[in-house]
Structures are given as C-alpha cells and as structure tokens.
Amino acid sequence: MTDRLDNLRAEIHATIDGLVCTGREAGVQVAAYLHGEPIVDAHAGVADTTTGRPMTAATGVYGVSTGKGLTATVVHVLAERGHLDYDLRIADVWPEFARHGKDHITLRHALTHTAGIPALPADVTLDDFADWDRMCGIVADARPLWTPGHQLAYHAWTFGWIVGEVIRRVTGRRVGDILTEDVAAPLGVAGELLCGVHPTAQPGLARMEDGNLSTMLEAFAGQLPHLDRVVPPGVRPDATLATRPDVPAVGTLTARAAARMYAALLGPVDGVRLISPHRLRAVSSPAVRGTEWVFGRETTWGLGYSIDDDGSFGAAGSGGSLAFAYPRWGLTVAATRNRLAVGDGDPLQHLRARIRDTVAASPG
C-alpha cells in the first residue's frame, strides 16, 4: 500500500504540474485523506495570473456549490448536538417563511432539494446576494412551484439561504460563524472553510478567471428551459460572481481543508470526529432519486450531499471544484482550480477517480 500511495502522489504532482505548464490550468489544489490521515496534499501554479502570486495549500478558492457540502456539514454537526431536527418545519422557527402555503416545508425537504422553491426573481443582482436579510426576505416571499417532496429540483442558490436562515433562527449564529468556530477551528483549518469572506481576508484568495464557463452557461440557458429561473442571468456562477466572496451563501475553501472536513465525518481526525457512525449512515445514504427539474438528469441526493454511483457523497461546484467522501474505503478527495470551465474533460474529476481507483484496488 505504501508503494501504491507513493506512486499515486508522484502521479498527482506530475499531472497538475503538467496541467499548469501546458496552460490548461492556472492554479490547482488536490488533497485526499485515508482513514483520517492525509495521503495527498498537492498544489501547483498561480493563485493570480496578473501578479504571479503562487497557489499554495492554504490559498482559499471560490467553490460555488462545493460550499453546499460545508453548509450541510454544519447542519449535521448541530443535529448531532441536538440543536436541529431534519423534520423541523421551517416555518416553526422562521414564521415569515410560511407565506404562500410553505408552512409544511421541512429542513429535510431543503436538504434534499425537494422544497419546491428553487427559483429566484429574474432581476436579482449580486448586490442582493451580498445582503443576507434581503435574500431571506425574497425566499420567504417565494411561491412554491409544487407540493414539497413531490419533485426533485436543484435549489442552486436558494439552498444556502433556506438552510442558513434556519440555522440562524435556531442558534442565533450565522452558518459561516459555526463553520469557522465549530468545524474548521477544531480541525486546525480555521480560515480555510468559509461561507462568505471578510474583506480583510479577500486579498489572499485565489483570483478566479473564466475559462469557458460563461459561454457554456449562456448555451445551457438556451437549452434548459428552467435554468434562468433558478440561476438568473445577473447571478450566474461565473468569474464575475467570484469577485464577490462576501456573498455569504457561497463556499470558499482549500482542498486540504475540505478533504479533512469530510474525513472527520467518516471518522476521527487527530481526535476530532464531527458526527457519529449512525448519523454518518443516515446522511450519506440516498434519500431521494429522480429526474431533476433543472438539468433533466437522473439524480440522487442524501441529506445535503449529492450521492454518486460510486457510493461517494459530497458536492461539486460550477467550474471545477469538488469534495467527496467514500465511506466504503474511508477515503475523502477534494480539488480546486481557479480557471472556471465545464465540458472540457474535467481534469479534477479525473484526478478524483484516479485516487479512488488506486485506493479501491489496494489490499487492506
């Protein structure tokens, strides 16, 4: 096993060095944990192509929906402590949310993307996104598109405010604060798992740039009739949005911190375990399956995490970041990049698969 892991690390380093040297990528991070121990921690390239500032293991990278995994983890840590129940009716703690017949929507519906309120107003802006109370007001006033639980629809943006406001109403604390203080700090990665970034920390983040993401999102909007309802043109998850790391419902992370967080969901990491084995089985098991409303694909969700066919759970963000856990092997993998692209063979997904396959093929 040691030789396999040594070879794997060498291969990962060579691969990301090659991606940078050929100009395909600007900066990349890849990390993996196995049974609570780091087995890969690699980075290459630059965090900012305009200055040449290097990408390091500690450079925060805008992760878009990879942040959903961070928010879901906060929910499960709070549930583990008895502060939250998945079947909590949201309107019981957030009365304004009950408008237009939303009084029976539960936290479980929100976590599984079956709440029925994935859409946003067509004229919503990035300035709106940076105003937590305004966005919560918009969500509270939304009309459900169907009865909760009847349709799977990716709540691309609304997920963050629905779940985050439930957390705030129950605990009096913002999701980003709990993530920092109760998840990242005990794991020794404070400042590397963030929902919203304080202005003083923003200069140290990776500078995101557009590969083909904007072009592809425009094309998708013409092909997918519901996309603009869920992701209006003014708030598409592209490099423009990445200039606003103050948006509190969007995740910013390092690969090493995300891999470490997921490892602490699977088991102890330096004595820190975030949830019990019983809860791990509950949150990582398929909760809903079906044809998803926005993209029209067969999709499986657990409680806040996407469930893939290989048995992993986690989240991936538009443009390339990802973080997943494999309970079967005690493995976690995370990767980031700062050149946003889709439909390009996705080298980070290939690296994820390479790490998974190496571990799966190893005895012991």
Side-chain angles (χ1 to χ4, degrees):
M1 182 65 162
T2 300
D3 288 343
R4 284 178 182 257
L5 292 180
D6 287 342
N7 292 337
L8 175 66
R9 280 188 284 268
E11 180 182 343
I12 297 299
H13 280 282
T15 299
I16 64 175
D17 285 343
L19 290 169
V20 170
C21 288
T22 61
R24 177 162 185 172
E25 301 294 342
V28 181
Q29 300 171 336
V30 183
Y33 272 67
L34 184 62
H35 302 305
E37 297 292 335
I39 59 169
V40 174
D41 187 2
H43 54 274
V46 295
D48 187 338
T49 57
T50 65
T51 65
R53 175 165 53 90
M55 178 73 82
T56 72
T59 303
V61 182
Y62 160 80
V64 208
S65 284
T66 306
K68 288 183 174 66
L70 311 185
T71 299
T73 296
V74 169
V75 169
H76 303 315
V77 167
L78 292 173
E80 186 72 22
R81 298 173 181 176
H83 300 315
L84 279 178
D85 185 281
Y86 303 127
D87 293 312
L88 167 73
R89 291 197 315 169
I90 293 173
D92 287 347
V93 296
W94 182 3
E96 303 94 323
F97 187 83
R99 295 173 192 153
H100 309 304
K102 299 197 300 298
D103 50 311
H104 293 296
I105 296 174
T106 66
L107 180 58
R108 186 183 300 273
H109 289 134
L111 290 170
T112 58
H113 296 262
T114 59
I117 46 175
L120 285 172
D123 60 352
V124 71
T125 68
L126 289 179
D127 286 340
D128 294 329
F129 267 32
D131 186 333
W132 183 272
D133 291 335
R134 174 165 174 73
M135 289 308 303
C136 287
I138 288 172
V139 169
D141 200 43
R143 293 182 180 275
L145 301 182
W146 47 77
T147 303
H150 283 210
Q151 174 65 53
L152 177 60
Y154 189 48
H155 288 47
W157 288 133
T158 57
F159 178 95
W161 287 289
I162 298 169
V163 177
E165 184 65 2
V166 169
I167 290 170
R168 190 181 73 86
R169 296 279 178 139
V170 170
T171 68
R173 303 165 66 197
R174 293 191 179 275
V175 61
D177 294 335
I178 299 174
L179 179 65
T180 294
E181 297 163 10
D182 296 25
V183 177
L187 288 171
V189 288
E192 296 186 31
L193 298 170
L194 303 165
C195 286
V197 182
H198 192 275
T200 58
Q202 291 174 16
L205 302 180
R207 178 179 177 273
M208 310 303 291
E209 56 186 54
D210 192 33
N212 69 350
L213 183 60
S214 294
T215 300
M216 294 301 293
L217 288 172
E218 189 67 32
F220 292 156
Q223 300 164 9
L224 302 171
H226 306 306
L227 182 62
D228 275 352
R229 297 184 66 184
V230 174
V231 185
V235 290
R236 286 179 180 159
D238 54 21
T240 300
L241 181 61
T243 66
R244 297 295 302 268
D246 56 326
V247 174
V250 173
T252 297
L253 60 145
T254 66
R256 69 179 183 184
R260 189 170 176 84
M261 181 196 79
Y262 277 94
L265 291 172
L266 298 185
V269 177
D270 292 335
V272 177
R273 181 165 193 165
L274 295 176
I275 59 175
S276 67
H278 173 75
R279 190 170 304 277
L280 170 64
R281 288 190 292 272
V283 305
S284 63
S285 299
V288 295
R289 288 190 180 95
T291 302
E292 192 274 327
W293 182 73
V294 182
F295 297 97
R297 296 192 300 247
E298 284 295 309
T299 305
T300 303
W301 280 89
L303 292 179
Y305 307 111
S306 173
I307 308 293
D308 280 3
D309 292 341
D310 60 9
S312 62
F313 71 93
S318 299
S321 64
L322 60 90
F324 283 85
Y326 297 83
R328 177 180 178 183
W329 298 297
L331 172 69
T332 68
V333 182
T336 71
R337 61 180 179 180
N338 58 348
R339 181 167 292 152
L340 300 171
V342 293
D344 62 348
D346 201 339
L348 299 193
Q349 288 287 357
H350 288 305
L351 288 168
R352 170 192 170 193
R354 184 72 186 94
I355 295 169
R356 175 202 65 202
D357 293 347
T358 296
V359 170
S362 299

